[in-house]
Amino acid sequence: MDIPREDIIECLVEAVKQGGAARVVNANAHYVTLSQKNRWMRQLFQQSEIAFCDGAGVQLASLFLTGQRPHRTTPPEWVGDMLSRLGSEATVFWLGGEQAIAEKAAAAFAEKYGCRTVGCQNGFFDPTPGSADAERVLKAIVDAKPSVLLLNMGMPRQEKWLWDNWGRLPPTVAITAGALVDHAAGRVSRPPRWVANLGLEWLVRLTREPQRLWRRYMIGLPVFGFYVLRWKLACFMGKSSRKTRG
């Protein structure tokens, strides 16, 4: 999980050039909290070719639990650089967001980075495996054979779609990119880097979208903190028990 953005870019550029396949997922406090009740999310994180830290909460939790502070990054910080390195070698399918926004994002990235768009599909469909909608969307992606698949359906919807469909996809680099589509289309601007470095990006997002995100942050963050404290206590009790037996 401790992988800097430069290494992520190098790995994925090589994967695309070689026609390879890779799942790229990120862990923030929301992911960790949801994964406590969704075993498939834990399995997806463990099985993915690249899994990285995306959030100050996970950084601090790792520091508290292990003494190590992993690198933190997020897809909007490096996807553009990756596509710039690949240029026309990258064929991109955008999945998620509003249709007009996805198309605008695709056009902006194609112009800026030289990548080729092979498909845009909004996120307003029934993703239930076997449903007519799900089969139609999957067929569109299979037919397009993208080298890069950007999943912008929000957490955990995008992760569940990847978990359900990975085995049926052609070789592709599938990235759970969250709100990248909104950033790429110019709908949302990223806060200054110093805000993220201070661990306050969540507060900026909350002030921008309070109705959608209040539950994630006002309830989710305390729950995440509870899990972290529980893990620390379990670790402490385990060490104490081993010392007693020794």
Side-chain angles (χ1 to χ4, degrees):
M1 187 173 101
D2 187 10
I3 178 171
R5 67 177 65 93
E6 294 81 7
D7 290 352
I8 295 175
I9 293 171
E10 289 294 334
C11 290
L12 297 185
V13 166
E14 186 62 23
V16 170
K17 287 180 177 292
Q18 296 297 324
R23 290 158 293 184
V24 185
V25 300
N26 55 296
N28 54 26
H30 188 47
Y31 191 106
V32 173
T33 300
L34 291 174
S35 70
Q36 301 311 298
K37 296 183 178 179
N38 293 283
R39 183 182 178 188
W40 65 266
M41 293 186 73
R42 301 195 297 274
Q43 292 176 326
L44 175 63
F45 195 82
Q46 293 164 355
Q47 295 173 15
S48 291
E49 286 67 30
I50 293 180
F52 63 92
C53 169
D54 175 13
V58 172
Q59 271 189 321
L60 293 175
S62 176
L63 186 63
F64 179 62
L65 294 170
T66 70
Q68 298 180 349
R69 188 186 183 99
H71 290 84
R72 184 212 64 80
T73 188
T74 189
E77 293 179 343
W78 54 262
V79 169
D81 291 337
M82 177 196 74
L83 294 176
S84 180
R85 288 271 303 276
L86 290 165
S88 61
E89 289 185 75
T91 54
V92 185
F93 196 108
W94 294 76
L95 178 59
E98 299 175 14
Q99 188 67 31
I101 296 298
E103 292 174 0
K104 185 176 181 180
F109 266 37
E111 179 179 358
K112 187 173 184 178
Y113 302 117
C115 56
R116 293 181 287 142
T117 302
V118 295
C120 288
Q121 165 63 49
N122 66 67
F124 301 96
F125 66 93
D126 178 7
T128 306
S131 71
D133 266 6
E135 292 298 314
R136 173 182 56 79
V137 170
L138 183 61
K139 183 178 186 304
I141 296 171
V142 170
D143 290 346
K145 296 181 175 62
S147 60
V148 177
L149 174 60
L150 298 176
L151 303 172
N152 302 278
M153 295 187 288
M155 187 181 292
R157 197 167 187 258
Q158 60 196 11
E159 286 80 11
K160 188 63 166 67
W161 188 93
L162 181 59
W163 176 256
D164 289 336
N165 295 285
W166 178 245
R168 298 178 63 187
L169 292 174
T172 188
V173 169
I175 303 169
T176 55
L180 174 66
V181 65
D182 293 318
H183 293 289
R187 187 182 191 182
V188 176
S189 60
R190 288 188 57 76
R193 178 64 62 82
W194 64 265
V195 173
N197 290 340
L198 288 175
L200 297 176
E201 191 169 2
W202 68 272
L203 184 58
V204 174
R205 295 190 65 194
L206 178 60
T207 58
R208 286 175 174 173
E209 300 180 88
Q211 289 186 328
R212 187 175 74 87
L213 296 176
W214 74 268
R215 186 179 298 274
R216 173 188 297 193
Y217 293 124
M218 303 309 292
I219 298 178
L221 288 180
V223 171
F224 172 71
F226 165 77
Y227 284 130
V228 172
L229 290 174
R230 190 175 69 176
W231 292 325
K232 186 69 172 181
L233 180 60
C235 181
F236 175 77
M237 295 299 291
K239 288 182 179 179
S240 298
S241 177
R242 286 193 294 272
K243 288 181 178 180
T244 301
R245 290 198 301 270

